[in-house]
Amino acid sequence: MANAIEINNLTKKYGRKVALDGVDLTITGGKIVGLLGPNGSGKSTLFKCLTGLLAFDGSAKIYGEEVGVKTKSIVSYLPERTYLDMNMTAKEVFDTFKTFYKDFDIVRAYELLATLKVEKDVRLKTLSKGTKEKIQLIAVMARKAKVYLLDEPIGGVDPAAREFIINTILTRVNEGSTIVISTHLIRDIEDILDEYVFINGSKIVSCGNVKDVHSQGKTVDEEFREVFRCL
Amino acid sequence: MFVKIFKHAFLRPLKTVLSLIAVSLIAGILAGFCKMMSKRVDSDHLFKVFRSLSSLSTFAISILTFAQITVVCTSFHKAVATDEAYFTYTLPATTGQQVGARYLSLLVWNTISLAGVILSHFLKALFTVKFSISNGGVESPPMRLNEIILMIEIIILVVISYLSVVSHVQFGIVFANALSLKLKRKLSSFLVGLIFFLEFVILVITFILSLDWVIRKTFLGIDFIHLLLWILILLMGGLGSLTYFLTYKFMGRWLNVA
């Protein structure tokens, strides 16, 4: 399987503060990868670099292309905050995604919306925070993208919502696509991960295969605690 | 992608701005009607009422025009300087397409708003002004070549100035947002406002001085007027291009979402 993401010596500074310090990382295609680390470790910054939201030093390639216009068309990104216009309805959100992204599967989006039991013509501002986040997730996951970057998709939502989110991620349209999920709630997503990447203090601390960790009789959560206890 | 972004940016404030324009047109009709009635009524009390209503409606046109421009600018601000920027900047578009399409949308909306205010005042005038197509049989003297050129130059200056103002507005929003990553948002907006105010003062002084020269054109000659107008055209064009270029630079590199 080709490399979905190749990052070489990526450095991002906010003024004097180093957010990412010479990060090297390779993620192979078709995997579900957990980008795991405490708050402020650089997870969101790494995603922003990969989506072209932040300029950085070094190199970051997605399916062989440097981050830019081409990669934006194959990357579906869920930021940690709601970025939709609250005056829009779910229908308008989907129509907007359909307009801008050729790979947006509107039928799939409505199927997922039906499971939420939300009317398509209701304005987002009238919905709860959790429902807004779910609609945003639906819009992001209804794209047949090659790479999905999901920043804290289960942070701040109730257990029932977490189940919906995890199921939506698992039933992704593109079987060969790569999903990178950033979170600090490892236990909740451990079962769906193929690989893990631990990040802390602006550096990649450790990465590996989830099966390998399990074969040692440990969980990723335990491995995470072990690694971070040593730091 | 340029067309898609333009369409998205253009359609966003559509309902609100068109509603405001409709109200503005109604205010124009009301202002004209009240002014006409104030001239017809005998009662002093009714005269005052109609006169006040006419003034209020005229004032409302100005407020509504300001509101339209605010709505259009807010729509741009939301797209590039709030959480919605996460959507804007992850679209598979180049910076040139983003800046160009949004500039065009601002330009078209501001033009529509201006057309709205002109139409509102025209509707107001319809009630009170008597138009006459005939010029009383007096033939206007034919325009000289120099006057035609002068008129074209003034039109070019007005158009270039207008394009430049829209570019300034776009840059102001982008620059204030970029500054707000370092400074407090209110302070950033204040600084940008101050910079533009100073620029405006300098331009006004330049215009006043130019006007003074125009008035004394008999001493300076028509060639000097042409030269002056072209200096102003180049100045406004240069400032417009500079702010457009800076918008491009800021949106491309420095206007990153925090």
Side-chain angles (χ1 to χ4, degrees):
Chain A
M1 187 68 82
N3 286 336
I5 299 169
E6 275 181 83
I7 302 167
N8 289 306
N9 199 26
L10 190 154
T11 300
K12 174 65 195 170
K13 291 176 185 171
Y14 293 112
R16 286 181 185 174
K17 193 193 165 204
V18 181
L20 290 170
D21 188 9
V23 170
D24 292 305
L25 181 67
T26 302
I27 294 172
T28 47
K31 299 276 172 66
I32 301 181
V33 181
L35 183 64
L36 314 170
N39 291 330
S41 55
K43 304 187 295 286
S44 296
T45 303
L46 185 59
F47 276 173
K48 285 174 192 170
C49 291
L50 291 173
T51 48
L53 286 169
L54 292 177
F56 55 86
D57 295 322
S59 162
K61 289 181 181 174
I62 292 170
Y63 281 100
E65 292 279 350
E66 278 291 345
V67 170
V69 179
K70 276 190 182 175
T71 62
K72 284 179 182 182
S73 62
I74 58 166
V75 173
S76 192
Y77 169 56
L78 180 81
E80 83 270 46
R81 56 185 88 185
T82 316
Y83 64 34
L84 301 171
D85 180 355
M86 290 300 124
N87 288 313
M88 278 181 157
T89 62
K91 182 186 177 300
E92 285 167 343
V93 170
F94 296 160
D95 287 343
T96 304
F97 269 72
K98 182 76 189 155
T99 305
F100 287 113
Y101 298 108
K102 286 178 192 168
D103 58 7
F104 186 73
D105 185 350
I106 201 157
V107 177
R108 173 85 179 127
Y110 279 120
E111 277 172 12
L112 288 167
L113 188 71
T115 63
L116 273 182
K117 291 172 186 164
V118 173
E119 290 294 319
K120 62 180 182 179
D121 295 317
V122 176
R123 299 219 173 271
L124 296 184
K125 62 184 174 190
T126 63
L127 301 170
S128 69
K129 186 176 174 277
T131 310
K132 282 175 204 162
E133 285 177 1
K134 284 177 199 163
I135 289 173
Q136 186 164 289
L137 178 79
I138 289 170
V140 168
M141 294 307 294
R143 281 185 61 194
K144 290 177 179 172
K146 282 188 169 180
V147 176
Y148 297 88
L149 301 175
L150 312 177
D151 198 357
E152 299 282 0
I154 54 169
V157 291
D158 60 76
R162 272 179 210 176
E163 199 181 326
F164 172 84
I165 291 166
I166 289 167
N167 284 336
T168 308
I169 294 167
L170 280 174
T171 55
R172 65 192 192 272
V173 181
N174 264 10
E175 271 308 311
S177 60
T178 306
I179 301 179
V180 186
I181 308 168
S182 89
T183 187
H184 56 275
L185 303 166
I186 303 163
R187 216 172 282 175
D188 289 291
I189 60 152
E190 177 161 354
D191 294 339
I192 68 167
L193 298 180
D194 297 313
E195 289 177 2
Y196 67 89
V197 176
F198 292 160
I199 184 169
N200 192 33
S202 71
K203 288 184 175 183
I204 302 291
V205 178
S206 160
C207 56
N209 199 302
V210 172
K211 275 183 187 168
D212 293 343
V213 176
H214 287 172
S215 65
Q216 292 167 22
K218 285 190 289 187
T219 63
V220 176
D221 191 41
E222 285 165 351
E223 175 78 2
F224 181 84
R225 286 166 200 271
E226 211 170 274
V227 169
F228 282 84
R229 201 177 294 134
C230 301
L231 294 172
Chain B
M1 191 51 79
F2 180 92
V3 176
K4 284 178 183 175
I5 296 172
F6 169 73
K7 207 174 152 189
H8 180 69
F10 180 76
L11 292 177
R12 211 176 140 163
L14 183 83
K15 282 182 193 169
T16 317
V17 178
L18 287 188
S19 308
L20 289 169
I21 290 174
V23 178
S24 174
L25 295 178
I26 293 166
I29 293 168
L30 190 67
F33 176 75
C34 289
K35 198 171 180 185
M36 181 187 76
M37 289 304 289
S38 70
K39 285 178 181 173
R40 290 186 181 179
V41 290
D42 298 327
S43 152
D44 191 44
H45 176 68
L46 278 175
F47 170 80
K48 280 179 184 170
V49 169
F50 280 120
R51 206 67 189 188
S52 304
L53 276 173
S54 177
S55 304
L56 272 175
S57 303
T58 310
F59 181 65
I61 295 171
S62 309
I63 297 292
L64 288 163
T65 309
F66 181 73
Q68 288 159 37
I69 293 168
T70 307
V71 168
V72 173
C73 292
T74 306
S75 173
F76 173 73
H77 174 262
K78 278 178 85 176
V80 300
T82 63
D83 284 351
E84 283 179 38
Y86 279 85
F87 178 75
T88 304
Y89 292 112
T90 47
L91 290 175
T94 61
T95 312
Q97 288 170 332
Q98 288 274 16
V99 179
R102 291 178 196 282
Y103 175 78
L104 190 63
S105 169
L106 271 177
L107 189 72
V108 173
W109 270 126
N110 282 313
T111 310
I112 292 171
S113 294
L114 282 177
V117 72
I118 291 167
L119 191 60
S120 299
H121 283 289
F122 176 74
L123 288 172
K124 180 190 164 188
L126 271 181
F127 285 87
T128 48
V129 177
K130 286 176 186 170
F131 293 99
S132 173
I133 297 167
S134 161
N135 61 357
V138 180
E139 279 190 24
S140 307
M143 285 179 92
R144 290 178 199 160
L145 182 65
N146 245 334
E147 287 171 341
I148 295 169
I149 293 170
L150 200 67
M151 209 170 73
I152 292 168
E153 285 167 347
I154 290 168
I155 291 168
I156 293 171
L157 178 63
V158 170
V159 171
I160 296 282
S161 302
Y162 180 56
L163 294 173
S164 181
V165 166
V166 175
S167 182
H168 272 70
V169 170
Q170 191 179 29
F171 173 66
I173 294 167
V174 169
F175 185 50
N177 183 59
L179 271 182
S180 72
L181 297 174
K182 306 258 180 201
L183 306 167
K184 284 183 180 173
R185 191 167 281 276
K186 280 182 183 171
L187 181 64
S188 315
S189 304
F190 173 75
L191 281 175
V192 172
L194 186 71
I195 292 166
F196 283 170
F197 177 73
L198 290 174
E199 188 196 350
F200 177 73
V201 168
I202 293 166
L203 283 173
V204 166
I205 290 169
T206 315
F207 271 111
I208 289 169
L209 288 175
S210 312
L211 200 66
D212 186 45
W213 280 320
V214 169
I215 290 163
R216 289 184 285 141
K217 67 181 178 183
T218 46
F219 304 108
L220 296 163
I222 195 78
D223 288 341
F224 184 79
I225 308 292
H226 290 308
L227 178 72
L228 192 69
L229 280 170
W230 277 107
I231 289 171
L232 288 174
I233 289 167
L234 289 173
L235 180 70
M236 292 310 291
L239 285 169
S241 305
L242 179 71
T243 45
Y244 189 91
F245 173 76
L246 289 173
T247 307
Y248 178 87
K249 279 286 168 194
F250 272 79
M251 278 178 74
R253 188 164 175 87
W254 294 311
L255 190 79
N256 299 313
V257 269

